[in-house]
Amino acid sequence: MPQGQPDLMEKMVSLCKRRGFIFQSSEIYGGLGSVWDYGPLGAELKRNLKEAWWRSNVYGRDDIEGLDAAILMHPQVWMASGHVTNFEDTLVDCKGCKKRFKVEHVTGKKCPECGGELTEARQFNLMLKTHLGPIEDEGSLSYLRPETAQGIFVNFQNVITSMRRKVPFGIAQIGKSFRNEVTTGNLTFRSREFEQMEIEFFVKPGTDEEWYEKWVEERFGWYIKFGIRKESLRKRQHDKTELAHYAKACTDIEYKFPFGWSELEGIANRTDFDLKQHTRLSGKELQYFDEETKEKYMPYVIEPSGGIDRSILAFLTDSYKEEEVRGEKRVSLALHKSLAPIKAAILPLLRNRPEIVKLARDIADDLRKELKVMYDDTASIGRLYRRQDEIGTPYCVTVDVDSLTDRKVTVRDRDSMKQDRIEVSKVREYLAEKFK
């Protein structure tokens, strides 16, 4: 990430809209506050990020199962988890500018924005309410889930029974959550509708601290593996005063965003709080029975929980580069190849030459069998390169006049700008090797 650029966040917002990564939701109606739509390139980046996480944690390990739980859950779930009674912010309103603030963000009795008079502090629950069924009454009240974790806890025994799992093991889930956040902003960093990638890893009490440390290191290394520079990350352990009511320990992996260090992912030791609570309210036994030792116990839970939307913002920001090339500014996204929305761009040098266009389209059609590619002939080759650099495309394949006789094309690397001359028949093989 470029240092000393206070306007970097503005550049990211501009790039995201201009190049089709992120749009304001319902923009033609003035937008919906802190809700975002992912455009064509953003949808690909998001899909690639989720696949990378799933492959690392579900396919790459033999101790984690996947789950896709429903967004709507029985209201008693949120009683058991403590969200109905504890998931609140203490807020004040300004009588002048009408803005709302968290109490901890206000010093004194005046509005931090306009200096106006503030109301008395009030409690606001952050869950979004809805009603199930045709009649809106107290009996039909439900909630859009504020976290994906509870869907895992209520399916704990189902997964053990159906998959014959033994502790220690984990359950992974990617899914949407909803919070009626008051303090929002900084593009997708804090949104009211967001997507989480979470693991609940069940362990025997007494081994929890060791597993907790392992997962902190595992998750920290994952972001570095997929391209975020180590110096842009740090671990911050919560002190006892800021721990959630259910947590024994928690470490945040923080990223140095343009607006400062902020949480990217949290790894928490949730103890046995959730399983005990669901046992108490549901009346169903959620203890684990170890067939080998004949022990019966309530597992402790280590929870790595990351936000996909925050991660996308971090990966985009950290990959953003500005440099001068031949007297011109070059902007590029040095995204990890597995995350890049477009893997290769096919660029015919002359779009008014049918034979060049045909060869280029044939190459594009062949590559589409394996990769997400883009065909583009709408500008000069220099502008086409810059356009692909700016959206993070790792390779550009240029078809020129010589390609018609020597049956070779030029493949340009995004990061080094080095060019290789490759036989048309070997382009797919060449790129497949690059994406291993």
Side-chain angles (χ1 to χ4, degrees), residues 27-65:
E27 186 177 28
I28 64 171
Y29 290 99
L32 185 62
S34 298
V35 183
W36 303 94
D37 297 334
Y38 285 84
L41 295 185
E44 290 297 324
L45 174 57
K46 193 175 191 181
R47 180 177 176 274
N48 292 342
L49 177 62
K50 290 192 285 188
E51 185 173 325
W53 186 89
W54 197 263
R55 284 191 174 277
S56 296
N57 293 295
V58 180
Y59 294 175
R61 301 176 61 109
D62 64 358
D63 56 359
I64 292 183
E65 299 286 356

Side-chain angles (χ1 to χ4, degrees), residues 116-388:
E117 183 183 355
L118 297 174
T119 64
E120 292 296 319
R122 293 177 292 170
Q123 297 295 111
F124 287 85
N125 194 285
L126 300 182
M127 284 196 292
L128 288 169
K129 296 179 181 179
T130 188
H131 289 269
L132 299 181
I135 301 174
E136 294 189 10
D137 58 18
E138 197 64 30
S140 67
L141 178 64
S142 189
Y143 302 92
L144 299 183
R145 66 182 180 194
E147 65 177 21
T148 57
Q150 299 307 319
I152 294 176
F153 294 128
V154 300
N155 279 293
F156 170 67
Q157 284 293 2
N158 287 336
V159 174
I160 281 184
T161 303
S162 62
M163 304 307 293
R164 302 183 302 282
R165 275 293 178 181
K166 294 181 179 180
V167 171
F169 83 100
I171 301 175
Q173 180 170 212
I174 295 174
K176 293 258 188 173
S177 295
F178 306 83
R179 295 182 184 178
N180 200 16
E181 294 280 6
V182 177
T183 307
T184 57
N186 291 317
L187 200 58
T188 60
F189 178 77
R190 193 182 300 279
S191 307
R192 293 189 170 100
E193 176 184 336
F194 55 97
E195 202 157 359
Q196 293 177 283
M197 40 192 187
E198 283 195 323
I199 297 168
E200 306 302 330
F201 198 81
F202 302 92
V203 303
K204 185 177 181 179
T207 68
D208 53 296
E209 293 184 8
E210 179 185 354
W211 277 108
Y212 168 72
E213 295 296 336
K214 282 182 179 179
W215 273 110
V216 169
E217 295 306 314
E218 172 78 17
R219 295 305 305 146
F220 188 82
W222 186 85
Y223 290 99
I224 296 171
K225 176 183 176 181
F226 284 95
I228 292 185
R229 293 172 304 131
K230 191 172 182 179
E231 58 266 33
S232 299
L233 296 168
R234 73 180 184 187
K235 304 168 199 163
R236 187 184 72 82
Q237 188 160 1
H238 289 205
D239 62 42
K240 291 184 178 181
T241 61
E242 62 178 322
L243 285 175
H245 63 280
Y246 52 75
K248 178 180 177 180
C250 185
T251 295
D252 284 346
I253 296 173
E254 295 187 333
Y255 175 75
K256 193 174 184 181
F257 289 97
F259 47 85
W261 288 100
S262 292
E263 179 191 352
L264 195 57
E265 176 167 337
I267 297 90
N269 182 341
R270 295 182 73 122
T271 69
D272 57 4
F273 171 83
D274 299 276
L275 293 180
K276 276 186 173 178
Q277 283 292 95
H278 288 302
T279 296
R280 184 175 66 84
L281 262 72
S282 71
K284 300 292 191 294
E285 182 54 67
L286 297 179
Q287 283 192 314
Y288 171 73
F289 180 69
D290 190 321
E291 294 282 355
E292 294 180 9
T293 65
K294 306 304 178 187
E295 288 181 276
K296 199 173 187 180
Y297 58 84
M298 196 72 79
Y300 270 35
V301 178
I302 309 303
E303 178 193 71
S305 177
I308 290 175
D309 308 276
R310 290 184 179 189
S311 294
I312 286 174
L313 183 58
F315 279 111
L316 285 172
T317 304
D318 210 69
S319 68
Y320 183 88
K321 292 171 60 178
E322 290 183 5
E323 57 189 327
E324 188 173 303
V325 177
R326 300 185 189 93
E328 293 184 359
K329 185 174 80 169
R330 176 185 184 244
V331 174
S332 65
L333 293 179
L335 289 164
H336 191 280
K337 293 174 186 176
S338 64
L339 301 183
I342 306 297
K343 305 304 184 189
I346 318 305
L347 314 174
L349 195 61
L350 298 171
R351 64 177 178 177
N352 59 352
R353 291 282 299 270
E355 60 272 42
I356 291 178
V357 169
K358 183 181 185 309
L359 180 56
R361 289 197 178 278
D362 287 346
I363 293 170
D365 289 342
D366 184 53
L367 291 177
R368 283 192 182 100
K369 298 171 185 176
E370 304 287 340
L371 303 170
K372 175 65 175 174
V373 302
M374 177 184 289
Y375 176 93
D376 194 356
D377 62 2
T378 59
S380 66
I381 193 63
R383 290 184 62 189
L384 292 177
Y385 280 157
R386 295 294 178 262
R387 186 181 297 168
Q388 295 301 324

